């Protein structure tokens, strides 16, 4: 099942810089692992914002929630989710 997300990072201004660096490094590592697994199919930065648009391929809504909530930045993410279905006019 495919899910499209818009994720905006909302870090508290008083979060120590070293904690931010640790979180970002862990986030990058897990996101790259999800890409290698095929769970994170597409990942784009939203220009001019600390945000991304991504397409996830998960077994179902529960798997999607478990996958996304494991992200190190999850507590600081504002996430909009769109479940996707195949369009009848799509060629692929």
């Amino acid at each position: 099942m495919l899910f499209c997300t818009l994720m905006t990072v909302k870090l508290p201004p008083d979060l120590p810089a070293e904690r931010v660096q640790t979180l970002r490094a862990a986030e990058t590592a897990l996101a790259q692992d999800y890409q290698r697994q095929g769970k994170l199919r597409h990942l784009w930065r939203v220009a001019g914002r600390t945000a991304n648009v991504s397409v996830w391929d998960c077994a179902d809504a529960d798997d999607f929630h478990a996958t996304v909530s494991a992200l190190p930045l999850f507590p600081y993410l504002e996430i909009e989710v769109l479940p996707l279905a195949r369009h009848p006019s799509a060629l692929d």
Side-chain angles (χ1 to χ4, degrees), residues 6-10 45-53 78 80:
L6 171 59
M7 296 186 182
T8 303
V9 181
K10 304 264 183 157
R45 176 176 302 282
V46 177
R49 294 177 47 194
T50 308
N52 74 71
V53 173
E78 180 179 284
E80 294 179 41

Side-chain angles (χ1 to χ4, degrees), residues 79-90:
I79 305 173
E80 294 179 41
V81 180
L82 298 169
L84 302 176
R86 179 151 305 281
H87 194 283
S89 298

Side-chain angles (χ1 to χ4, degrees), residues 19-38:
R19 178 70 178 135
V20 172
Q21 287 178 334
T22 301
L23 283 169
R24 288 187 189 277
E27 185 84 5
T28 296
L30 186 55
Q32 290 175 348
D33 187 45
Y34 283 160
Q35 288 175 77
R36 284 188 282 278
Q37 292 177 40

Side-chain angles (χ1 to χ4, degrees), residues 7-75:
M7 296 186 182
T8 303
V9 181
K10 304 264 183 157
L11 295 174
D14 60 344
L15 198 62
E18 59 275 0
R19 178 70 178 135
V20 172
Q21 287 178 334
T22 301
L23 283 169
R24 288 187 189 277
E27 185 84 5
T28 296
L30 186 55
Q32 290 175 348
D33 187 45
Y34 283 160
Q35 288 175 77
R36 284 188 282 278
Q37 292 177 40
K39 281 188 171 260
L40 180 51
R41 292 264 204 96
H42 302 281
L43 178 61
W44 296 276
R45 176 176 302 282
V46 177
R49 294 177 47 194
T50 308
N52 74 71
V53 173
S54 47
V55 176
W56 301 82
D57 190 354
C58 297
D60 54 30
D62 290 330
D63 181 38
F64 169 76
H65 181 75
T67 300
V68 171
S69 64
L71 292 168
L73 287 173
F74 181 75

